[in-house]
Coordinates of all heavy atoms in Angstrom, one line a residue:
M10 N 166.3 160.4 99.8 CA 165.2 160.6 100.7 C 165.5 160.4 102.1 O 166.1 159.4 102.5 CB 164.0 159.8 100.2 CG 162.7 160.1 101.0 SD 161.3 159.1 100.3 CE 160.2 159.5 101.5
A11 N 165.0 161.3 103.0 CA 165.3 161.2 104.4 C 164.5 160.0 104.9 O 163.4 159.7 104.4 CB 164.9 162.5 105.1
L12 N 165.0 159.5 106.0 CA 164.2 158.5 106.8 C 162.9 159.0 107.4 O 162.9 160.2 107.6 CB 165.1 157.9 108.0 CG 166.3 157.1 107.7 CD1 167.0 156.8 109.0 CD2 165.9 155.9 106.9
T13 N 162.0 158.2 107.6 CA 160.8 158.7 108.2 C 161.2 158.6 109.8 O 162.2 158.0 110.2 CB 159.6 157.7 108.1 OG1 159.9 156.4 108.6 CG2 159.2 157.6 106.6
E14 N 160.4 159.3 110.6 CA 160.7 159.3 112.0 C 160.5 157.9 112.6 O 161.2 157.5 113.5 CB 159.8 160.4 112.7 CG 160.2 161.8 112.4 CD 159.3 162.9 113.0 OE1 158.3 162.5 113.6 OE2 159.8 164.1 112.9
H15 N 159.6 157.2 112.1 CA 159.4 155.8 112.5 C 160.6 154.9 112.2 O 161.1 154.2 113.1 CB 158.1 155.1 111.9 CG 157.9 153.7 112.2 ND1 157.5 153.3 113.5 CD2 158.2 152.6 111.5 CE1 157.4 152.0 113.5 NE2 157.9 151.6 112.3
E16 N 161.1 155.1 110.9 CA 162.3 154.4 110.6 C 163.5 154.7 111.5 O 164.3 153.9 111.9 CB 162.7 154.5 109.1 CG 161.8 154.0 108.2 CD 161.9 154.4 106.7 OE1 162.2 155.6 106.5 OE2 161.7 153.5 105.8
A17 N 163.7 156.0 111.8 CA 164.8 156.5 112.6 C 164.6 155.9 114.0 O 165.6 155.5 114.6 CB 164.8 158.1 112.6
F18 N 163.4 155.9 114.5 CA 163.2 155.4 115.8 C 163.5 154.0 115.9 O 164.2 153.4 116.8 CB 161.7 155.6 116.3 CG 161.3 154.8 117.5 CD1 161.8 155.1 118.7 CD2 160.6 153.7 117.4 CE1 161.6 154.4 119.8 CE2 160.3 153.0 118.5 CZ 160.7 153.3 119.8
T19 N 163.1 153.2 114.9 CA 163.3 151.8 114.8 C 164.9 151.4 114.8 O 165.4 150.6 115.6 CB 162.7 151.1 113.6 OG1 161.3 151.4 113.7 CG2 163.0 149.6 113.6
R20 N 165.6 152.2 114.1 CA 167.1 152.0 114.0 C 167.7 152.4 115.3 O 168.5 151.6 115.8 CB 167.7 152.8 112.8 CG 167.3 152.3 111.5 CD 168.0 153.1 110.4 NE 167.6 152.5 109.1 CZ 168.1 152.9 108.0 NH1 169.0 153.8 107.9 NH2 167.7 152.3 106.8
L21 N 167.3 153.5 115.9 CA 167.9 153.9 117.1 C 167.6 153.0 118.3 O 168.4 152.5 119.0 CB 167.3 155.4 117.5 CG 168.0 156.5 116.8 CD1 167.1 157.7 116.9 CD2 169.3 156.8 117.4
R22 N 166.3 152.5 118.3 CA 165.8 151.6 119.4 C 166.6 150.3 119.3 O 167.1 149.8 120.3 CB 164.4 151.3 119.3 CG 163.8 150.4 120.3 CD 162.5 149.8 119.9 NE 162.7 149.0 118.6 CZ 161.7 148.8 117.9 NH1 160.5 149.2 118.0 NH2 161.9 148.1 116.7
D23 N 166.7 149.8 118.1 CA 167.3 148.4 117.9 C 168.8 148.5 118.3 O 169.3 147.6 118.9 CB 167.1 147.9 116.5 CG 165.7 147.5 116.2 OD1 164.8 147.5 117.1 OD2 165.3 147.3 115.0
V24 N 169.5 149.5 117.8 CA 170.9 149.6 118.1 C 171.1 149.9 119.6 O 172.0 149.4 120.3 CB 171.7 150.6 117.2 CG1 173.1 150.8 117.6 CG2 171.6 150.1 115.8
A25 N 170.2 150.7 120.2 CA 170.4 151.1 121.6 C 170.3 149.8 122.5 O 171.0 149.6 123.4 CB 169.4 152.1 122.1
R26 N 169.3 148.9 122.1 CA 169.1 147.6 122.8 C 170.4 146.8 122.7 O 170.7 146.0 123.7 CB 167.9 146.9 122.2 CG 166.6 147.5 122.6 CD 165.5 146.8 122.1 NE 164.2 147.3 122.5 CZ 163.1 147.0 121.9 NH1 163.0 146.1 121.0 NH2 162.0 147.6 122.3
Q27 N 171.1 146.8 121.5 CA 172.3 146.0 121.4 C 173.4 146.5 122.3 O 174.2 145.8 122.8 CB 172.8 146.0 119.9 CG 171.8 145.3 119.0 CD 172.2 145.6 117.5 OE1 173.2 146.1 117.2 NE2 171.2 145.2 116.6
V28 N 173.5 147.9 122.4 CA 174.5 148.5 123.2 C 174.3 148.3 124.7 O 175.3 147.9 125.4 CB 174.6 150.0 122.9 CG1 175.5 150.8 123.9 CG2 175.1 150.3 121.5
D29 N 173.0 148.4 125.1 CA 172.8 148.2 126.5 C 171.2 148.1 126.7 O 170.5 149.0 126.2 CB 173.2 149.4 127.4 CG 173.0 149.3 128.8 OD1 172.1 148.5 129.3 OD2 173.7 149.9 129.6
S30 N 170.8 146.9 127.2 CA 169.3 146.7 127.3 C 168.6 147.8 128.2 O 167.4 148.0 128.1 CB 169.0 145.3 127.9 OG 169.5 145.2 129.2
A31 N 169.3 148.5 129.0 CA 168.8 149.6 129.8 C 168.7 150.9 129.1 O 168.1 151.9 129.6 CB 169.5 149.7 131.2
L32 N 169.2 151.0 127.9 CA 169.3 152.3 127.1 C 167.9 152.4 126.4 O 167.6 151.5 125.6 CB 170.5 152.2 126.2 CG 171.0 153.5 125.6 CD1 171.3 154.5 126.8 CD2 172.2 153.2 124.7
V33 N 167.2 153.5 126.6 CA 165.9 153.7 126.0 C 165.9 154.9 125.2 O 166.3 156.0 125.6 CB 164.8 153.7 127.1 CG1 163.5 154.0 126.6 CG2 164.9 152.5 128.0
V34 N 165.3 154.8 124.0 CA 165.1 155.9 123.1 C 163.6 156.3 123.3 O 162.7 155.4 123.1 CB 165.3 155.5 121.6 CG1 165.0 156.7 120.7 CG2 166.7 155.0 121.4
D35 N 163.4 157.5 123.6 CA 162.0 158.0 123.9 C 161.3 158.2 122.5 O 161.7 159.1 121.7 CB 162.1 159.4 124.6 CG 160.7 160.0 124.8 OD1 159.7 159.4 124.5 OD2 160.7 161.1 125.3
R36 N 160.3 157.4 122.2 CA 159.6 157.4 120.9 C 159.1 158.8 120.6 O 159.2 159.3 119.5 CB 158.5 156.3 120.8 CG 157.6 156.4 119.6 CD 158.4 156.1 118.4 NE 157.6 156.3 117.2 CZ 157.6 157.3 116.4 NH1 158.4 158.3 116.6 NH2 156.8 157.3 115.3
G37 N 158.4 159.5 121.5 CA 157.8 160.8 121.3 C 158.8 161.8 121.0 O 158.5 163.0 120.6
S38 N 160.1 161.6 121.2 CA 161.0 162.7 121.1 C 161.7 162.8 119.7 O 162.5 163.7 119.4 CB 162.2 162.5 122.2 OG 163.0 161.4 121.8
I39 N 161.4 161.8 118.9 CA 162.1 161.6 117.6 C 161.5 162.8 116.7 O 160.3 162.9 116.4 CB 161.8 160.3 116.9 CG1 162.2 159.1 117.8 CG2 162.4 160.2 115.6 CD1 163.7 159.0 118.0
H40 N 162.5 163.6 116.2 CA 162.0 164.6 115.2 C 163.1 164.7 114.1 O 164.4 164.9 114.4 CB 161.9 166.0 115.8 CG 160.9 166.0 116.8 ND1 159.5 166.0 116.5 CD2 160.9 166.0 118.2 CE1 158.8 166.0 117.5 NE2 159.6 165.9 118.6
W41 N 162.8 164.6 112.8 CA 163.7 164.7 111.7 C 163.9 166.2 111.5 O 162.9 167.0 111.4 CB 163.1 164.0 110.5 CG 164.1 164.0 109.4 CD1 164.2 164.8 108.4 CD2 165.2 163.2 109.3 NE1 165.3 164.6 107.6 CE2 166.0 163.5 108.1 CE3 165.7 162.1 110.1 CZ2 167.1 162.9 107.8 CZ3 166.9 161.4 109.7 CH2 167.5 161.8 108.6
I42 N 165.1 166.7 111.4 CA 165.5 167.9 111.1 C 166.0 168.1 109.7 O 166.8 167.2 109.2 CB 166.7 168.4 112.0 CG1 166.4 168.1 113.5 CG2 167.0 169.9 111.8 CD1 165.2 168.8 114.1
E43 N 165.5 169.1 109.0 CA 165.8 169.3 107.5 C 167.1 170.1 107.4 O 167.6 170.6 108.4 CB 164.7 170.0 106.9 CG 163.4 169.1 106.8 CD 163.7 167.8 105.9 OE1 164.4 167.8 104.9 OE2 163.0 166.8 106.3
P44 N 167.6 170.3 106.2 CA 168.8 171.1 106.0 C 168.6 172.5 106.5 O 167.4 173.0 106.7 CB 168.9 171.2 104.4 CG 168.2 169.9 103.9 CD 167.1 169.6 104.9
P45 N 169.7 173.2 106.9 CA 171.0 173.0 106.5 C 171.8 171.8 107.2 O 172.8 171.5 106.9 CB 171.7 174.3 106.7 CG 171.0 174.9 107.9 CD 169.5 174.4 107.7
Y46 N 171.3 171.4 108.3 CA 171.9 170.3 109.1 C 170.9 169.1 109.3 O 170.4 169.0 110.4 CB 172.4 170.8 110.4 CG 173.2 172.0 110.4 CD1 172.8 173.3 110.7 CD2 174.6 171.9 109.9 CE1 173.6 174.4 110.6 CE2 175.4 173.0 109.7 CZ 174.9 174.2 110.1 OH 175.7 175.3 110.0
P47 N 170.7 168.3 108.3 CA 169.8 167.2 108.3 C 170.2 166.1 109.4 O 171.4 165.8 109.4 CB 169.8 166.7 106.9 CG 171.0 167.1 106.3 CD 171.5 168.3 107.0
G48 N 169.2 165.6 110.0 CA 169.5 164.6 111.0 C 168.3 164.4 111.8 O 167.2 164.9 111.5
V49 N 168.5 163.7 112.9 CA 167.3 163.4 113.8 C 167.7 163.8 115.3 O 168.9 163.6 115.7 CB 167.0 161.9 113.7 CG1 168.1 161.0 114.2 CG2 165.7 161.6 114.5
S50 N 166.7 164.4 115.9 CA 167.0 164.7 117.3 C 166.2 163.7 118.1 O 165.1 163.2 117.7 CB 166.5 166.2 117.7 OG 165.1 166.3 117.5
Y51 N 166.6 163.3 119.3 CA 166.0 162.3 120.0 C 166.4 162.4 121.5 O 167.5 162.9 121.9 CB 166.3 160.9 119.5 CG 167.8 160.5 119.5 CD1 168.2 159.7 120.6 CD2 168.7 161.0 118.7 CE1 169.6 159.4 120.6 CE2 170.0 160.7 118.7 CZ 170.5 159.9 119.7 OH 171.8 159.5 119.8
N52 N 165.6 161.8 122.4 CA 165.9 161.8 123.8 C 166.4 160.3 124.1 O 165.7 159.4 123.9 CB 164.7 162.2 124.6 CG 165.0 162.4 126.1 OD1 166.0 162.8 126.4 ND2 164.1 162.0 127.0
L53 N 167.5 160.3 124.8 CA 168.0 158.9 125.2 C 168.0 158.9 126.7 O 168.4 159.9 127.4 CB 169.5 158.8 124.7 CG 170.1 157.5 124.7 CD1 169.3 156.5 123.7 CD2 171.5 157.5 124.1
V54 N 167.6 157.8 127.2 CA 167.4 157.5 128.7 C 168.2 156.4 129.2 O 168.2 155.3 128.6 CB 165.9 157.4 129.0 CG1 165.7 157.2 130.5 CG2 165.1 158.5 128.4
L55 N 168.9 156.6 130.3 CA 169.6 155.4 131.0 C 169.3 155.7 132.5 O 169.9 156.6 133.1 CB 171.1 155.5 130.7 CG 171.9 154.4 131.4 CD1 171.5 153.0 130.8 CD2 173.3 154.6 131.2
G56 N 168.4 154.9 133.0 CA 168.0 155.0 134.4 C 167.3 156.4 134.6 O 166.4 156.7 133.8
D57 N 167.8 157.3 135.5 CA 167.3 158.6 135.7 C 167.9 159.7 134.9 O 167.5 160.8 134.9 CB 167.4 158.9 137.2 CG 166.5 158.1 138.1 OD1 165.5 157.7 137.6 OD2 166.9 158.0 139.3
A58 N 168.9 159.3 134.1 CA 169.7 160.2 133.2 C 169.0 160.4 131.8 O 168.6 159.3 131.2 CB 171.1 159.8 133.1
H59 N 168.7 161.6 131.4 CA 168.1 161.8 130.1 C 169.0 162.8 129.4 O 169.6 163.7 130.0 CB 166.8 162.5 130.3 CG 165.7 161.7 131.0 ND1 164.6 161.2 130.4 CD2 165.7 161.2 132.3 CE1 163.9 160.5 131.3 NE2 164.6 160.5 132.4
A60 N 169.1 162.7 128.1 CA 169.8 163.6 127.2 C 169.1 163.8 125.9 O 168.7 162.8 125.3 CB 171.2 163.2 127.0
L61 N 168.9 165.1 125.5 CA 168.4 165.3 124.1 C 169.6 165.5 123.2 O 170.5 166.2 123.5 CB 167.7 166.7 124.1 CG 167.1 167.1 122.8 CD1 166.1 166.1 122.3 CD2 166.5 168.5 122.9
L62 N 169.7 164.6 122.2 CA 170.8 164.4 121.3 C 170.4 164.7 119.9 O 169.2 164.7 119.5 CB 171.5 163.1 121.5 CG 171.9 162.6 122.9 CD1 172.2 161.2 123.0 CD2 173.1 163.5 123.3
F63 N 171.4 165.0 119.1 CA 171.2 165.2 117.7 C 172.2 164.2 116.9 O 173.3 164.1 117.3 CB 171.6 166.6 117.2 CG 171.4 166.8 115.7 CD1 170.2 166.9 115.1 CD2 172.6 166.8 115.0 CE1 170.2 167.2 113.7 CE2 172.6 167.0 113.6 CZ 171.3 167.1 112.9
L64 N 171.7 163.5 116.0 CA 172.4 162.6 115.2 C 172.3 163.0 113.7 O 171.3 163.1 113.1 CB 171.8 161.1 115.3 CG 172.6 160.0 114.7 CD1 173.9 159.8 115.3 CD2 171.7 158.7 114.7
P65 N 173.5 163.4 113.1 CA 173.5 163.8 111.7 C 173.0 162.6 110.8 O 173.2 161.5 111.1 CB 175.0 164.0 111.4 CG 175.6 164.2 112.7 CD 174.8 163.4 113.7
A66 N 172.4 163.0 109.7 CA 171.8 162.1 108.8 C 172.8 161.1 108.3 O 172.5 159.9 108.1 CB 171.2 162.9 107.6
G67 N 174.1 161.5 108.1 CA 175.1 160.7 107.7 C 175.4 159.5 108.6 O 176.1 158.5 108.2
D68 N 175.0 159.6 109.8 CA 175.3 158.5 110.8 C 174.1 157.6 110.9 O 174.2 156.6 111.6 CB 175.5 159.1 112.2 CG 176.9 159.7 112.3 OD1 177.8 159.4 111.4 OD2 177.1 160.6 113.2
I69 N 172.9 157.8 110.2 CA 171.8 156.9 110.3 C 171.2 156.5 108.9 O 170.4 155.6 108.9 CB 170.8 157.5 111.2 CG1 169.7 156.5 111.7 CG2 170.1 158.8 110.6 CD1 168.8 157.0 112.8
E70 N 171.6 157.2 107.9 CA 171.0 156.9 106.6 C 171.9 156.1 105.6 O 171.4 155.0 105.2 CB 170.7 158.3 105.9 CG 169.4 158.8 106.3 CD 169.0 160.0 105.5 OE1 169.9 160.9 105.3 OE2 167.9 160.0 105.0
P71 N 173.0 156.6 105.2 CA 173.7 155.9 104.1 C 174.3 154.5 104.5 O 174.3 154.2 105.7 CB 174.8 156.9 103.7 CG 175.0 157.7 104.9 CD 173.8 157.7 105.7
P72 N 174.7 153.8 103.6 CA 175.3 152.5 103.8 C 176.4 152.7 104.8 O 177.2 153.6 104.9 CB 175.9 152.1 102.4 CG 175.1 152.8 101.4 CD 174.8 154.0 102.1
G73 N 176.4 151.6 105.8 CA 177.4 151.6 106.9 C 176.9 152.2 108.1 O 177.6 152.4 109.1
W74 N 175.6 152.7 108.1 CA 175.0 153.4 109.2 C 175.0 152.6 110.5 O 175.1 153.1 111.6 CB 173.6 153.8 108.9 CG 172.6 152.8 108.7 CD1 172.2 152.2 107.5 CD2 171.8 152.0 109.8 NE1 171.3 151.2 107.7 CE2 171.1 151.0 109.1 CE3 171.8 152.2 111.1 CZ2 170.2 150.2 109.7 CZ3 171.0 151.3 111.8 CH2 170.2 150.4 111.1
E75 N 175.0 151.2 110.3 CA 174.9 150.4 111.5 C 176.1 150.6 112.4 O 176.0 150.8 113.7 CB 174.8 149.0 111.2 CG 173.6 148.5 110.4 CD 173.7 148.6 108.9 OE1 174.7 149.2 108.4 OE2 172.9 148.0 108.2
D76 N 177.3 150.6 111.8 CA 178.5 150.8 112.7 C 178.6 152.3 113.2 O 179.0 152.4 114.3 CB 179.8 150.5 111.8 CG 179.9 149.1 111.4 OD1 179.4 148.2 112.2 OD2 180.4 148.8 110.3
R77 N 178.3 153.2 112.4 CA 178.4 154.6 112.9 C 177.3 154.9 114.0 O 177.7 155.5 115.0 CB 178.1 155.6 111.7 CG 179.3 155.6 110.7 CD 179.2 156.8 109.7 NE 177.9 156.6 108.9 CZ 177.8 155.8 107.9 NH1 178.8 155.0 107.5 NH2 176.7 155.8 107.2
L78 N 176.2 154.3 113.8 CA 175.1 154.6 114.8 C 175.5 153.8 116.1 O 175.4 154.4 117.2 CB 173.8 154.0 114.3 CG 172.6 154.2 115.3 CD1 172.4 155.7 115.7 CD2 171.3 153.7 114.6
R79 N 176.0 152.7 116.0 CA 176.5 152.0 117.2 C 177.6 152.8 118.0 O 177.5 152.9 119.2 CB 177.0 150.6 116.9 CG 177.4 149.7 118.1 CD 177.8 148.3 117.7 NE 178.1 147.6 119.0 CZ 177.2 147.0 119.7 NH1 175.9 147.0 119.3 NH2 177.6 146.3 120.8
Q80 N 178.5 153.3 117.2 CA 179.6 154.1 117.9 C 179.0 155.3 118.6 O 179.4 155.6 119.7 CB 180.6 154.5 116.8 CG 181.5 153.5 116.3 CD 182.3 154.0 115.1 OE1 182.2 155.0 114.7 NE2 183.1 153.0 114.6
R81 N 178.0 155.9 118.0 CA 177.4 157.2 118.5 C 176.6 156.8 119.9 O 176.7 157.5 120.8 CB 176.4 157.8 117.6 CG 177.1 158.4 116.3 CD 178.3 159.3 116.6 NE 178.9 159.7 115.3 CZ 180.0 159.1 114.8 NH1 180.6 158.2 115.4 NH2 180.5 159.6 113.7
L82 N 175.9 155.7 119.8 CA 175.1 155.3 120.9 C 176.0 154.8 122.1 O 175.7 154.9 123.2 CB 174.0 154.3 120.6 CG 172.9 154.9 119.7 CD1 172.0 153.8 119.3 CD2 172.2 156.0 120.5
E83 N 177.1 154.1 121.7 CA 178.1 153.7 122.8 C 178.6 154.9 123.5 O 178.8 154.9 124.7 CB 179.2 152.9 122.2 CG 178.7 151.4 121.8 CD 179.8 150.7 121.0 OE1 180.8 151.3 120.5 OE2 179.6 149.4 120.8
S84 N 178.9 155.9 122.8 CA 179.4 157.2 123.3 C 178.4 157.9 124.2 O 178.7 158.3 125.3 CB 179.9 158.2 122.2 OG 181.1 157.7 121.5
A85 N 177.2 157.9 123.7 CA 176.1 158.5 124.5 C 175.8 157.7 125.7 O 175.6 158.3 126.8 CB 174.8 158.6 123.6
R86 N 175.9 156.4 125.7 CA 175.7 155.6 126.9 C 176.8 155.9 127.9 O 176.5 156.0 129.1 CB 175.8 154.1 126.5 CG 175.3 153.2 127.6 CD 176.2 152.1 127.9 NE 176.0 151.4 129.1 CZ 176.5 151.7 130.2 NH1 177.3 152.7 130.3 NH2 176.1 151.1 131.3
R87 N 178.0 156.0 127.5 CA 179.1 156.4 128.4 C 178.9 157.7 129.1 O 179.1 157.9 130.3 CB 180.4 156.3 127.7 CG 181.1 154.9 127.5 CD 182.5 155.0 127.0 NE 182.7 155.8 125.8 CZ 182.6 155.3 124.5 NH1 182.2 154.1 124.3 NH2 182.8 156.1 123.5
Y88 N 178.4 158.7 128.3 CA 178.0 160.0 128.8 C 177.0 160.0 129.9 O 177.1 160.5 131.0 CB 177.6 160.9 127.6 CG 177.2 162.2 128.1 CD1 178.0 163.2 128.5 CD2 175.7 162.5 128.0 CE1 177.5 164.5 128.9 CE2 175.3 163.7 128.4 CZ 176.2 164.7 128.8 OH 175.7 165.9 129.3
L89 N 175.8 159.2 129.5 CA 174.7 159.1 130.4 C 175.1 158.4 131.7 O 174.6 158.6 132.8 CB 173.6 158.4 129.7 CG 172.8 159.3 128.7 CD1 171.8 158.4 127.9 CD2 172.1 160.4 129.4
A90 N 176.0 157.4 131.6 CA 176.4 156.6 132.8 C 177.1 157.5 133.8 O 177.0 157.2 135.0 CB 177.3 155.5 132.3
G91 N 177.6 158.6 133.4 CA 178.2 159.5 134.4 C 177.2 160.2 135.3 O 177.6 160.8 136.3
F92 N 176.0 160.1 134.9 CA 174.8 160.8 135.6 C 173.9 159.8 136.4 O 173.1 160.3 137.1 CB 174.0 161.7 134.7 CG 174.8 162.7 134.1 CD1 175.3 162.6 132.8 CD2 175.0 163.9 134.8 CE1 176.0 163.5 132.1 CE2 175.8 164.9 134.2 CZ 176.3 164.7 132.8
T93 N 174.2 158.6 136.3 CA 173.4 157.6 137.0 C 173.8 157.5 138.5 O 175.0 157.7 138.8 CB 173.4 156.2 136.3 OG1 174.7 155.8 136.2 CG2 172.9 156.3 134.9
P94 N 172.9 157.0 139.3 CA 173.2 157.0 140.8 C 174.5 156.1 141.1 O 175.3 156.5 141.9 CB 172.0 156.3 141.3 CG 170.9 156.6 140.4 CD 171.5 156.7 139.1
H95 N 174.7 155.0 140.3 CA 175.9 154.2 140.6 C 177.2 154.9 140.3 O 178.2 154.5 140.8 CB 175.8 152.8 140.0 CG 176.0 152.9 138.5 ND1 174.9 153.2 137.7 CD2 177.1 152.6 137.8 CE1 175.5 153.2 136.4 NE2 176.7 152.9 136.4
A96 N 177.1 155.9 139.5 CA 178.4 156.7 139.1 C 178.8 157.7 140.2 O 179.9 158.2 140.1 CB 178.2 157.4 137.8
R97 N 177.9 158.0 141.1 CA 178.2 159.0 142.2 C 178.8 158.4 143.4 O 179.0 157.5 143.9 CB 177.0 159.7 142.6 CG 176.4 160.5 141.4 CD 175.2 161.2 141.8 NE 174.7 161.8 140.6 CZ 173.4 162.1 140.3 NH1 172.5 161.8 141.2 NH2 173.1 162.6 139.2

């Protein structure tokens, strides 16, 4: 069974905080996507930088999701950091 949007938000928010306390998951942006490509879309914010991202269900649902989700959010944080004022 797929995660609820609330469960997906909680996992994303908690891991984002571990990666960087300034990394914010926009609660209203969480949407579960059904097959053929199940997963969750969400907006991630770092300062003035925003990105709409997609996370496959395999990175947030099955056992071991904690490590996969952390890796994805660390990558997303590096991407967003390239658009923040201090990067320019």
Side-chain angles (χ1 to χ4, degrees):
M10 179 177 174
L12 292 177
T13 66
E14 289 178 353
H15 176 74
E16 291 168 322
F18 169 70
T19 300
R20 289 181 181 190
L21 283 161
R22 180 201 60 205
D23 292 351
V24 175
R26 286 180 180 167
Q27 293 170 13
V28 169
D29 185 333
S30 61
L32 200 56
V33 176
V34 177
D35 176 9
R36 171 63 184 104
S38 71
I39 303 291
H40 296 288
W41 188 260
I42 310 296
E43 293 298 325
Y46 304 108
V49 64
S50 66
Y51 62 102
N52 191 34
L53 196 60
V54 181
L55 181 63
D57 290 333
H59 297 246
L61 178 61
L62 302 169
F63 176 79
L64 185 67
D68 288 341
I69 195 168
E70 279 189 308
W74 65 265
E75 296 93 341
D76 292 332
R77 289 187 301 278
L78 181 56
R79 182 175 185 83
Q80 290 171 356
R81 300 304 177 260
L82 289 176
E83 286 171 348
S84 293
R86 191 227 168 273
R87 284 191 302 273
Y88 172 75
L89 287 170
F92 298 98
T93 58
H95 72 277
R97 294 182 186 149

